[in-house]
Amino acid sequence: MKNIILPAEWHRQSAVMITWPHANSDWADILDEVTDCYISLSKEITKRQKLIIVCENKNEVLQHFSDDEKNNITTKQIDSNDTWARDHGPISLFIDNQPAIFDFGFNGWGLKFASNLDNQITTELFDKQLFNENVLYRNKQNFILEGGAIESDGEGTLLTTSQCLLAPNRNQPMTQNEIEDYLIKTFGLKRVLWLNHG
């Protein structure tokens, strides 16, 4: 049996990934203001570690950064529906101490919004060899899971909400017990804690 660890959010990481806003995202009406926010956010990240920017046009993005800042930035030109990288991006794990990414399905929070492009970002990042060659890739597209719907303590406990994982248009007809069993097996967990409100 493999030893699977879903690290805590505060676990040491090699990079942060964001998806850059554009005219076809939620931010269309306030794109200049949101872009300024993303620039500020990105500059703070590059002071501390590597930043991966998924964007439509890398030249438009990189013009906002100094050469020193660019040294900590990797851009990948991939089309996206929106900017919610926490929900559509890869989930990082360790399998027998080897780094791995799980590529879960993302369906725009239960088919509320278009997500066909967002749902392909992790696959494209892997195909474009963004990750180190020792990183394992696991296609989990048959299960809908937003990264923002889960929290891990890195020691086998997962926190999630029934509003997300049990909501219509995600993983039905699976029951709560079936979903919990799937999470335990997939993430090597000891227990799943469900929040029923919020």
Side-chain angles (χ1 to χ4, degrees):
M1 181 163 167
K2 294 188 179 295
N3 180 34
I4 302 172
I5 297 173
L6 176 62
E9 197 159 322
W10 52 87
H11 189 89
R12 188 172 175 227
Q13 57 197 16
S14 56
V16 170
M17 185 190 106
I18 63 173
T19 304
W20 202 260
H22 53 82
N24 294 317
S25 65
D26 278 353
W27 307 113
D29 294 339
I30 53 170
L31 186 58
D32 289 342
E33 180 182 343
V34 170
T35 299
D36 288 344
C37 179
Y38 268 70
I39 292 167
S40 297
L41 174 70
S42 299
K43 287 176 179 285
E44 288 303 315
I45 293 170
T46 60
K47 290 177 186 176
R48 294 160 178 85
Q49 67 180 86
K50 300 286 186 187
L51 174 64
I52 300 161
I53 301 177
V54 173
C55 58
E56 293 186 338
N57 185 317
K58 71 177 185 178
N59 294 327
E60 285 182 13
V61 170
L62 290 175
Q63 70 180 341
H64 302 292
F65 301 99
S66 69
D67 288 342
D68 282 346
E69 290 164 338
K70 289 177 189 174
N71 288 335
N72 260 354
I73 296 175
T74 299
T75 56
K76 292 295 179 184
Q77 292 189 164
I78 301 173
D79 289 337
S80 65
N81 300 100
D82 222 317
T83 60
W84 305 106
R86 181 180 173 98
D87 285 339
H88 65 237
I91 305 289
S92 302
L93 300 96
F94 295 98
I95 301 174
D96 293 334
N97 294 318
Q98 186 170 356
I101 55 164
F102 282 4
D103 183 10
F104 287 97
F106 175 67
N107 72 351
W109 307 286
L111 305 176
K112 292 177 187 171
F113 302 97
S115 59
N116 56 308
L117 300 173
D118 295 341
N119 195 42
Q120 299 303 311
I121 289 174
T122 299
T123 303
E124 289 198 45
L125 289 173
F126 186 79
D127 290 346
K128 292 175 184 278
Q129 300 178 334
L130 171 77
F131 306 102
N132 291 335
E133 60 185 37
N134 68 326
V135 173
L136 303 170
Y137 171 87
R138 296 291 181 263
N139 184 329
K140 302 287 183 181
Q141 291 270 328
N142 61 342
F143 189 85
I144 303 301
L145 177 72
E146 298 104 27
I150 59 172
E151 293 289 347
S152 170
D153 65 356
E155 297 181 8
T157 299
L158 183 89
L159 180 67
T160 190
T161 69
S162 54
Q163 271 190 331
C164 282
L165 286 183
L166 303 181
N169 298 322
R170 282 193 173 87
N171 293 303
Q172 284 67 29
M174 292 177 77
T175 65
Q176 181 172 344
N177 286 339
E178 289 170 334
I179 290 172
E180 186 168 316
D181 288 345
Y182 175 86
L183 294 172
I184 288 171
K185 180 179 177 185
T186 300
F187 291 121
L189 304 172
K190 297 173 186 169
R191 64 181 179 159
V192 176
L193 303 178
W194 293 86
L195 296 175
N196 292 320
H197 306 284

